[in-house]
Amino acid sequence: MKRILITRPRLQADAFAQELQAAGFEPIFFPVIEIRPMEDMGQLDRALKGLQKYHWVIFTSVNAVDVVFERIPAGLLTADTALPRVAAIGPKTAEALAKRGITPAFVPDEYVAEAILPGLGDLCDKWVFLPRAEIARKLLPEAIAAAGGFAHEVAVYKTLPAVPDPAGLAALREGVDFITLTSPSTVQNFCSIMRSQGLDPLHLPGAPVFACIGPITEAAAREEGLQGLVTANEYTSHGLVELISNLSKGQ
């Protein structure tokens, strides 16, 4: 049975692990990042109080949805048609919104931030609220500005390195078949943890294949010098399972 290392935060890994098990693989939990809300929520609270000024709110991750809806008054986004439209990047983000009674007005077919711009209409002189990670790519706010709009970025959560899991480390030293990478942060922290534990991420036991959730994660992996990269066609955990399954059948 092929062993698949899961590097995403532990609280977000169960559904992925269950799908891997159902496909005949052995999932191994090895979270390399933790998600934590920002300590100071003043900027977010002020933005939420003035939501009427925004034309759109764009959620780029489930993490952003979780943090914002911990702070937002219940039902605010559905209570008044004058409030902004909501866009979501990726089906999981849209699903997280749906659980809170929000149907996104737009979800792009490609699950990357820059793909969302064509669905937002005329942004000239319009404000767009972007609740995001503390460290986030600048392509989306730059594209909004280029379209004549005003992007208001607010950091609502941050990613921190996780404490290495002993069982996961033991599995890595023995050799795993695939290592799944789901964001640039997981790439960077995985490599950092490997080096801190005396392992070379470029030459791991068993020469595992690095399975990337999408092209942005793949680009981050290439920057780290990782080899043996493959990338899912659908930029989701389900896409990763399909990718790994197809590759395993061909081996």
Side-chain angles (χ1 to χ4, degrees):
M1 181 182 292
K2 293 190 181 297
R3 305 204 293 174
I4 318 299
L5 198 79
I6 301 174
T7 57
R8 65 180 6 169
R10 184 63 184 85
L11 292 176
Q12 300 175 4
D14 282 344
F16 187 22
Q18 290 167 8
E19 192 170 1
L20 285 168
Q21 283 182 317
F25 301 110
E26 178 188 351
I28 298 169
F29 296 106
F30 189 70
V32 298
I33 60 173
E34 294 180 2
I35 305 297
R36 292 189 189 173
M38 302 296 291
E39 287 87 358
D40 183 357
M41 287 295 186
Q43 283 194 64
L44 174 59
D45 289 341
R46 286 190 291 275
L48 293 176
K49 287 178 182 177
L51 271 178
Q52 290 86 349
K53 88 172 199 177
Y54 300 106
H55 191 66
W56 284 95
V57 178
I58 301 177
F59 289 98
T60 58
S61 70
V62 172
N63 298 318
V65 174
D66 290 342
V67 174
V68 168
F69 278 84
E70 281 292 318
R71 308 289 299 188
I72 198 168
L76 180 59
L77 282 177
T78 56
D80 190 329
T81 55
L83 291 174
R85 285 177 283 181
V86 175
I89 295 176
K92 292 296 183 183
T93 306
E95 183 180 315
L97 287 165
K99 289 178 180 177
R100 293 164 172 83
I102 305 296
T103 301
F106 180 64
V107 181
D109 292 332
E110 190 176 6
Y111 311 143
V112 292
E114 50 270 33
I116 205 165
L117 199 68
L120 302 183
D122 180 15
L123 293 179
C124 189
D125 294 328
K126 294 183 172 67
W127 282 88
V128 179
F129 178 38
L130 299 175
R132 313 185 79 194
E134 183 180 31
I135 299 175
R137 298 163 66 240
K138 294 298 182 182
L139 282 175
L140 180 55
E142 288 172 355
I144 291 169
F150 303 98
H152 184 196
E153 292 184 90
V154 174
V156 299
Y157 69 92
K158 56 187 173 181
T159 58
L160 300 173
V163 176
D165 178 76
L169 272 176
L172 279 162
R173 294 185 192 281
E174 294 169 1
V176 298
D177 298 288
F178 289 88
I179 296 171
T180 60
L181 301 170
T182 53
S183 69
S185 295
T186 61
V187 172
Q188 293 149 11
N189 284 306
F190 175 79
C191 292
S192 177
I193 289 172
M194 290 300 93
R195 296 185 184 106
S196 73
Q197 298 299 315
L199 290 167
D200 181 355
L202 309 187
H203 300 93
L204 291 170
V209 174
F210 289 96
C212 303
I213 201 167
I216 295 165
T217 300
E218 179 187 354
R222 291 194 185 283
E223 286 181 12
E224 289 284 348
L226 298 179
Q227 304 293 318
L229 303 176
V230 293
T231 303
N233 290 323
E234 177 187 313
Y235 310 155
T236 63
S237 56
H238 178 70
L240 279 175
V241 175
E242 286 192 337
L243 172 68
I244 292 168
S245 296
N246 291 335
L247 289 172
S248 298
K249 289 174 185 175
Q251 292 178 354

